[in-house]
Amino acid sequence: MKKLEDQISSWRMMITDIPGVTCFEDLPVKFAALQKEVIHSTQKEGEITARMKQMEVALDAIEIGKKNAEAEAALAKEKAEVLISEIKRIELMVSV
């Protein structure tokens, strides 16, 4: 009997160590509140992960746009150089 009383006393002391719990009846309410908190945190984590993925996709699109712009600029520079050569050739022909 003494052993059982010690165990019950030990359990009661452990229960009072849990914040917001004063008796056995508080345990289901505390667990429910903790479960809701876990669910809420998981939802927030999902929202943050989704937002991060959106940002990664946007960054990838920006990088692709930058590469396209650089390629177009290089092509325009080549065309300009060809046109300058053509103008010099025509000027040389006119001066002759």
Side-chain angles (χ1 to χ4, degrees):
M1 193 66 166
K2 175 71 174 151
K3 189 175 179 180
L4 288 174
E5 287 176 359
D6 288 344
Q7 283 183 337
I8 290 172
S9 176
S10 173
W11 280 96
R12 284 186 178 148
M13 289 177 70
M14 280 193 279
I15 286 175
T16 58
D17 288 342
I18 301 171
V21 175
T22 57
C23 62
F24 292 111
E25 290 81 19
D26 292 343
L27 285 175
V29 174
K30 184 66 174 183
F31 281 122
L34 289 172
Q35 286 174 334
K36 286 180 183 177
E37 188 176 328
V38 167
I39 290 169
H40 181 70
S41 295
T42 303
Q43 288 173 338
K44 283 283 190 188
E45 180 183 351
E47 291 170 4
I48 290 169
T49 301
R51 181 67 179 134
M52 188 173 74
K53 289 292 182 186
Q54 289 175 344
M55 293 173 93
E56 287 174 355
V57 168
L59 181 59
D60 288 344
I62 290 169
E63 287 178 8
I64 290 169
K66 178 184 172 191
K67 287 179 183 178
N68 288 341
E70 288 173 346
E72 288 177 13
L75 183 59
K77 184 178 178 182
E78 287 178 25
K79 285 182 180 180
E81 289 172 357
V82 168
L83 290 173
I84 290 171
S85 286
E86 187 67 23
I87 290 170
K88 286 181 181 179
R89 186 183 66 79
I90 292 171
E91 286 175 343
L92 184 61
M93 285 177 56
V94 170
S95 69
V96 171

